[in-house]
Amino acid sequence: MLPYIYFFGISIPTYRICFFTSIIVASIVLKYNYSKLNLPKFLYIFIASIVLVSGIMGAHLFDNIERHSLKSLGSFHSLIFGGLTFHGGFIISFFIIWLLSVTYKKIQFIHLLSGALSAVCIGYAIGRIGCFLAGDGCYGIPTESFLGMSFPKGILPTYKPVYPTPLFESALNFLLFIFLQKLFNFYHKNGILMKSRNQIKIISIFLLGFGAFRFAIEFIRNNPKYLGLSSAQYFSLLLSAIGLLLFFYQKTKGERETSRQQS
């Protein structure tokens, strides 16, 4: 745990360092993937900047709603520096990408999304390391297991051992990033990346993996519960359900294409 580092007497929050590092790394991955999808070069900069701003504000907006801080919704400071919810950022970013594909007919939504998801995973993973270093309160419930850690010098300190859930989320998203990027590269190497069913498969695996990871971790986090589940878990169930439907859709589509070729 290291909330701040000091450089020539200036304190720099480690969360901000990880935050900006996540933007840079995610942008590099996004640029690489979009180049393989033959998308315009300027697009990754546009997507990275627009989705970044809208995603952050969406994450803060949904966090304020979830915590019933409705009076702060009109505050610019709250939208930029308040709490974060991953589903708020996801929803707004998803909408912006969809709107871009509708505006520019030559750019397919499925291309924009499938090329961006591994970048989302690596950016999220690095960002969660920042949460862990800062001890910002997004850790889990108290535990006596060997996994427990205390955060006495955190921004929101706790002196009892708790689950370091940001580390768990970071590790799981690193693994998801590696898997998705390897699959993306495999499709490109074999000349089948542009097939829609393969891009749908990438999207479905992300939705299933990300949804399942977040749903499971919420059981050891201190988020408000509604009918036994947190809002993040309900959203994770929705992501997983959509991912499952897309997975079977692309599988059925592939089987039909194979049968047509054989006949």
Side-chain angles (χ1 to χ4, degrees):
M1 180 179 49
L2 186 67
Y4 299 93
I5 61 172
Y6 297 90
F7 186 73
F8 292 108
I10 301 173
S11 63
I12 305 173
T14 50
Y15 177 80
R16 292 186 183 178
I17 294 173
C18 290
F19 176 74
F20 287 111
T21 301
S22 71
I23 295 172
I24 294 169
V25 174
S27 297
I28 292 171
V29 173
L30 190 67
K31 179 182 180 181
Y32 172 83
N33 288 350
Y34 278 7
S35 68
K36 302 304 179 185
L37 288 165
N38 298 320
L39 292 172
K41 292 182 178 180
F42 75 90
L43 197 58
Y44 88 93
I45 300 176
F46 182 79
I47 289 288
S49 57
I50 297 297
V51 170
L52 171 66
V53 174
S54 60
I56 291 174
M57 295 185 70
H60 290 312
L61 175 65
F62 276 70
D63 180 75
N64 286 330
I65 293 174
E66 184 173 320
R67 298 177 189 279
H68 310 291
S69 303
L70 298 180
K71 292 181 180 179
S72 65
L73 293 183
S75 167
F76 178 79
H77 183 276
S78 173
L79 288 178
I80 299 300
F81 298 105
L84 290 165
T85 63
F86 88 98
H87 44 292
F90 187 92
I91 290 171
I92 300 300
S93 299
F94 182 91
F95 175 74
I96 293 294
I97 292 176
W98 173 80
L99 191 62
L100 181 64
S101 67
V102 171
T103 305
Y104 299 96
K105 302 294 184 180
K106 293 181 179 181
I107 302 175
Q108 295 186 35
F109 174 69
I110 193 173
H111 290 175
L112 293 175
L113 194 58
S114 63
L117 294 178
S118 61
V120 170
C121 291
I122 190 65
Y124 190 80
I126 296 172
R128 278 308 186 190
I129 293 175
C131 294
F132 169 76
L133 292 174
D136 63 358
C138 63
Y139 26 73
I141 58 177
T143 179
E144 297 298 327
S145 75
F146 71 96
L147 295 173
M149 296 180 65
S150 60
F151 295 81
K153 296 182 180 180
I155 294 175
L156 293 176
T158 177
Y159 300 93
K160 294 181 179 180
V162 294
Y163 285 110
T165 49
L167 276 188
F168 300 160
E169 288 187 86
S170 180
L172 291 171
N173 276 276
F174 268 120
L175 291 175
L176 187 57
F177 160 73
I178 292 170
F179 184 83
L180 289 176
Q181 196 62 45
K182 281 185 174 294
L183 185 62
F184 185 95
N185 292 339
F186 172 80
Y187 286 153
H188 178 261
K189 183 178 179 180
N190 289 275
I192 53 176
L193 179 60
M194 301 305 290
K195 289 188 176 182
S196 62
R197 68 183 177 89
N198 291 332
Q199 294 183 32
I200 292 173
K201 188 174 184 178
I202 291 173
I203 296 170
S204 68
I205 291 173
F206 168 83
L207 293 174
L208 281 167
F210 194 92
F213 292 163
R214 188 56 190 258
F215 181 83
I217 282 182
E218 282 294 307
F219 283 111
I220 57 172
R221 289 191 67 188
N222 271 318
N223 283 333
K225 299 293 193 296
Y226 311 95
L227 299 177
L229 298 176
S230 68
S231 61
Q233 285 178 304
Y234 286 113
F235 186 70
S236 297
L237 285 175
L238 177 62
L239 291 184
S240 297
I242 296 172
L244 196 61
L245 289 173
L246 288 176
F247 184 83
F248 284 111
Y249 169 77
Q250 63 83 24
K251 185 178 180 181
T252 304
K253 186 175 182 180
E255 290 172 351
R256 288 176 180 173
E257 289 178 0
T258 303
S259 62
R260 287 198 197 102
Q261 290 173 358
Q262 291 176 349
S263 62

